Amino acid sequence: MSAAIAWVGLAREFSGKGRLLGSWASSCLLLLVLALMGAVGAGAVVLLPHAASIPPVIAGAVTGATALPRRKQDETAQPYIKFMTLGIALVRERLVQRVHLDACTWSDRFIQGIETSAQLRVFVHDLKLYLLERHPLTAETKTINAIYTEVETAIDTALDVATSIDEACRQAEREPTDDELIARRQAFGTALAQCGHLLRFAYAHGRRRDGDELKSLRAKAASNDAFHHPALPPQRRWFERWLTR
């Protein structure tokens, strides 16, 4: 029962923050937390009948240890706290870190197919519309729009850097220098990092089955058809129109 209640509490706590079962590492840490909670509950059941035989001095010492002053109000990872929770606080801390790393790893791998700023702009715009349709709440809408604004600013900066470098190389009839290549790569990398924030929002607030739709958005942005379309549809001859009828 203790493990079941712990699962409900963790699922509610990590809602909108990540996926508890996002990887094998996070799944193992989650199972370890639940096992420790179950062990504590079972141990309490076994030891509770013998509580009357505990010397009052020991009980007072343990109770007083919980009231020791802390150096900071928000510092909950003190060594004695980790000891008193039988390692649960330490494992839970690792679980929080692992869930965050799973989201970062997923977003980094997902965005590898985007190679230019133009593709990134198309993908980010479609991703924003996708998220706004599925998260109509006011608070979530503000978050999505705020992240999108930061991504757009980073993309504009990357485009300005690339345009200025290309113009300088065209006028001087030369190849880009190493410093210019580094500057272009850094600007585009910053835009990718900002896009990762929007992807992590989709990862944390979405479901696993949304991955196929996100992949279709990425494929659409990375395809050359998104930027090169014929001006007019191909004309059919008179007998082709007659055969169609």
Side-chain angles (χ1 to χ4, degrees):
M1 184 175 293
S2 176
I5 294 175
W7 161 252
V8 174
L10 289 174
R12 182 175 179 83
E13 178 183 357
F14 282 86
S15 177
K17 299 179 181 179
R19 299 175 184 174
L20 290 173
L21 303 176
S23 65
W24 284 105
S26 60
S27 300
C28 292
L29 288 172
L30 173 63
L31 292 177
L32 183 56
V33 171
L34 298 181
L36 290 174
M37 294 296 296
V40 170
V45 172
V46 173
L47 297 177
L48 190 60
H50 306 284
S53 60
I54 298 178
V57 176
I58 297 179
V62 172
T63 305
T66 60
L68 291 176
R70 300 180 181 179
R71 288 175 294 179
K72 295 181 180 180
Q73 184 67 24
D74 58 346
E75 189 175 356
T76 59
Q78 293 287 344
Y80 66 88
I81 294 295
K82 296 179 181 179
F83 172 77
M84 292 181 62
T85 57
L86 303 179
I88 297 177
L90 181 61
V91 178
R92 183 185 173 280
E93 180 181 347
R94 295 292 184 271
L95 178 61
V96 172
Q97 296 175 355
R98 186 69 256 177
V99 169
H100 176 71
L101 290 177
D102 289 343
C104 294
T105 302
W106 180 87
S107 63
D108 292 341
R109 292 178 178 175
F110 191 89
I111 208 170
Q112 285 180 354
I114 306 297
E115 299 179 353
T116 64
S117 299
Q119 293 176 351
L120 184 62
R121 184 184 294 277
V122 173
F123 173 69
V124 169
H125 183 265
D126 293 342
L127 179 60
K128 182 196 74 168
L129 297 179
Y130 175 86
L131 293 176
L132 289 177
E133 290 177 355
R134 286 156 178 79
H135 302 281
L137 298 180
T138 304
E140 296 176 346
T141 300
K142 290 182 179 179
T143 302
I144 295 171
N145 289 326
I147 299 176
Y148 177 76
T149 302
E150 296 177 355
V151 178
E152 280 285 290
T153 302
I155 294 175
D156 291 339
T157 302
L159 287 173
D160 292 340
V161 171
T163 302
S164 61
I165 292 175
D166 293 340
E167 183 65 20
C169 294
R170 186 184 63 81
Q171 293 179 357
E173 296 182 354
R174 61 176 177 82
E175 295 294 328
T177 63
D178 293 340
D179 293 338
E180 290 174 341
L181 292 176
I182 292 174
R184 178 187 294 177
R185 186 178 184 87
Q186 288 178 343
F188 183 63
T190 302
L192 286 177
Q194 294 295 334
C195 180
H197 296 165
L198 197 60
L199 279 172
R200 285 195 289 274
F201 181 91
Y203 175 87
H205 293 79
R207 299 181 180 181
R208 295 181 184 273
R209 62 172 176 265
D210 297 338
D212 294 336
E213 298 182 8
L214 295 178
K215 289 179 181 179
S216 64
L217 294 179
R218 181 187 60 185
K220 176 184 175 182
S223 175
N224 292 329
D225 295 338
F227 307 98
H228 303 287
H229 289 286
L232 293 174
Q235 300 295 323
R236 295 183 301 173
R237 298 184 180 182
W238 65 271
F239 60 86
E240 292 179 348
R241 293 196 296 269
W242 184 79
L243 290 176
T244 302
R245 293 178 183 175

